[in-house]
Amino acid sequence: MPSKTVVIIGGSYSGIGVAKALLKSSPGVKIVIIDPSDRFYFNIAAPRILAKPEAFSPDKYLYPITTIFRGASKDSFEFVQNTVSQIDTSSKVVTTSNGIIGYDYLVIASGSSSQSTKGDGVFAPFKPTGVDSRAFQVQIKAAQDTVAAAESIIIGGAGPLGVEIAGELSDTSNHKNITVIASSSRILPMLKEGPSSTAEKLLAKKNVNIVKGASVIGASQNGTKWIVKLSTGKEMTADAYIATTGVVPNSSFIPSEYLVNGWVNVDPHLRVATPGNLSQRPQGVYAVGDITIHSPRTLIKANEQVPVVAANIKADIDGGPKLKTYNAAAGSIMMAVPVGENAGTGQAFGWTIWGKLVSMMKGKDFMISRAPGMIGISS
């Protein structure tokens, strides 16, 4: 029988990462992952999935969670396909529609949702949507059909996702008019001027329009058209509007005393804690990835948090001191941004990444060929 049970809410990159690490480092521990979908979504490829439906079959970006853990015994791993409605940290139980699940340690890895899944513009499959895999594939197909039928598209946001989608859409012949709305004076504002300028030139070559210094303050559908209102007072019309700015936390089931604007407050060890009083913590509860207060909410940052949570849960189980802390400010920006299949830009350790390298690293297939290895599926 397992000595301790670790319940992980969310089959995300970070949730799966913690589960994999604990199965390796703490034999005898029982891992339970709870998620509404039985499939893991490799959403790194979302821009190409949306713009080019024929690029990948669904089995290349939707992986059964049980397959990811096929090497684990039934005593050490269990997957529960369900939605969590409540957690009780005093009783140490998680409530789902099928009953309650007890835990010794709890990891909240429920992530975030994109604005497009909350009704802001055309639905776009940037992240999981809290439905089962069959329903999710229907959602993806509907989004692909909507985008394919649109001759004019406005993209709200000029960060990596907005730039990548613009690049992908501009490669397809049916999109005659693509516009990117940038709230700052340049696109990719989190990067240095060099890669930012490169991305702008690449989009210009693809005839993508860029509106700078304006934010989208409202978007509504009027018949078959979208009316997009900008902070400058200007209104724009298009067949489709895609929002790429901002995410919202998946935290409806989490007690409000642990939240800051919907995000989970954590101490330096990534233990859930009351805002303003980090010493006031529920016993054995951690949070990791997008759901925490820490930004930027990128895969690289989530991957930095995974070993911290895994090591500290192991230390708890073994009765030792906390070994790891997470420094959200540590590290430099590492980002590769394809602009279509054969070009791109990026930044790593303060250096601009050569466009051909971005194309080889990511633009070629949006890392789909490396997906099994990245999520730990053994051959």
Side-chain angles (χ1 to χ4, degrees):
M1 294 295 289
S3 58
K4 299 291 181 182
T5 297
V6 179
V7 171
I8 300 174
I9 302 174
S12 59
Y13 292 97
S14 50
I16 287 174
V18 170
K20 285 277 188 179
L22 286 174
L23 286 170
K24 184 177 181 179
S25 67
S26 303
V29 171
K30 172 69 174 290
I31 305 293
V32 180
I33 290 182
I34 307 173
D35 195 278
S37 176
D38 62 334
R39 297 290 196 276
F40 169 85
Y41 177 40
F42 190 75
N43 67 320
I44 291 174
R48 187 156 296 167
I49 292 168
L50 175 65
K52 302 170 184 175
E54 304 304 319
F56 314 119
S57 58
D59 65 307
K60 297 299 183 183
Y61 54 82
L62 292 172
Y63 292 88
I65 292 176
T66 52
T67 297
I68 299 173
F69 293 91
R70 62 189 174 193
S73 68
K74 292 182 179 179
D75 289 335
S76 62
F77 177 79
E78 179 183 359
F79 172 68
V80 176
Q81 185 178 356
N82 214 312
T83 301
V84 174
S85 59
Q86 183 180 352
I87 59 176
D88 185 335
T89 57
S90 58
S91 300
K92 304 189 83 167
V93 296
V94 171
T95 301
T96 72
S97 61
N98 287 340
I100 63 173
I101 299 173
Y103 67 84
D104 295 295
Y105 298 95
L106 177 66
V107 179
I108 302 173
S110 51
S112 61
S113 296
S114 57
Q115 293 286 1
S116 70
T117 62
K118 302 298 182 181
D120 186 1
V122 172
F123 164 82
F126 301 143
K127 288 176 174 286
T129 59
V131 298
D132 64 38
S133 58
R134 290 185 180 180
F136 188 50
Q137 288 185 65
V138 171
Q139 291 178 332
I140 290 176
K141 180 63 164 57
Q144 291 170 332
D145 291 346
T146 298
V147 170
E151 293 189 358
S152 58
I153 297 176
I154 295 173
I155 299 170
L161 184 56
V163 170
E164 288 179 352
I165 290 174
E168 291 298 302
L169 291 173
S170 65
D171 282 348
T172 60
S173 60
N174 58 319
H175 299 114
K176 299 182 176 63
N177 189 339
I178 300 170
T179 301
V180 173
I181 309 298
S183 60
S184 67
S185 60
R186 57 189 179 91
I187 64 174
L188 298 177
M190 70 292 298
L191 301 184
K192 299 189 306 180
E193 284 198 25
S196 172
S197 177
T198 297
E200 184 170 341
K201 291 175 182 177
L202 290 172
L203 289 178
K205 287 182 180 179
K206 293 174 174 289
N207 297 315
V208 174
N209 306 308
I210 302 174
V211 177
K212 303 175 187 176
S215 300
V216 175
I217 60 174
S220 59
Q221 198 167 12
N222 184 3
T224 60
K225 296 291 185 177
W226 279 87
I227 311 299
V228 179
K229 297 181 180 181
L230 304 184
S231 57
T232 57
K234 183 179 179 179
E235 287 190 358
M236 302 181 70
T237 303
D239 297 324
Y241 166 65
I242 302 174
T244 68
T245 57
V247 290
V248 292
N250 298 326
S251 59
S252 61
F253 61 92
I254 301 170
S256 60
E257 61 262 36
Y258 305 128
L259 302 178
V260 178
N261 297 323
W263 305 103
V264 180
N265 193 62
V266 289
D267 71 4
H269 302 296
L270 296 179
R271 296 175 295 188
V272 173
T274 302
N277 186 0
L278 296 184
S279 63
Q280 187 175 339
R281 301 183 301 269
Q283 185 180 9
V285 183
Y286 291 79
V288 63
D290 278 14
I291 192 61
T292 72
I293 57 172
H294 295 304
S295 61
R297 294 179 172 88
T298 63
L299 179 57
I300 288 175
K301 288 298 181 182
N303 286 341
E304 290 174 358
Q305 295 175 27
V306 164
V308 175
V309 171
N312 289 335
I313 291 177
K314 175 176 169 54
D316 277 344
I317 293 172
D318 295 344
K322 289 288 176 288
L323 300 177
K324 284 185 175 289
T325 59
Y326 173 67
N327 182 358
S332 59
I333 292 177
M334 295 183 63
M335 189 174 292
V337 184
V339 184
E341 295 186 22
N342 301 309
T345 187
Q347 183 176 316
F349 305 109
W351 295 88
T352 298
I353 304 177
W354 186 39
K356 289 292 185 182
L357 183 58
V358 172
S359 179
M360 289 187 291
M361 288 169 46
K362 190 175 180 182
K364 181 180 178 182
D365 67 354
F366 268 84
M367 305 175 80
I368 280 285
S369 58
R370 283 177 276 170
M374 290 176 65
I375 58 179
I377 297 178
S378 57
S379 57

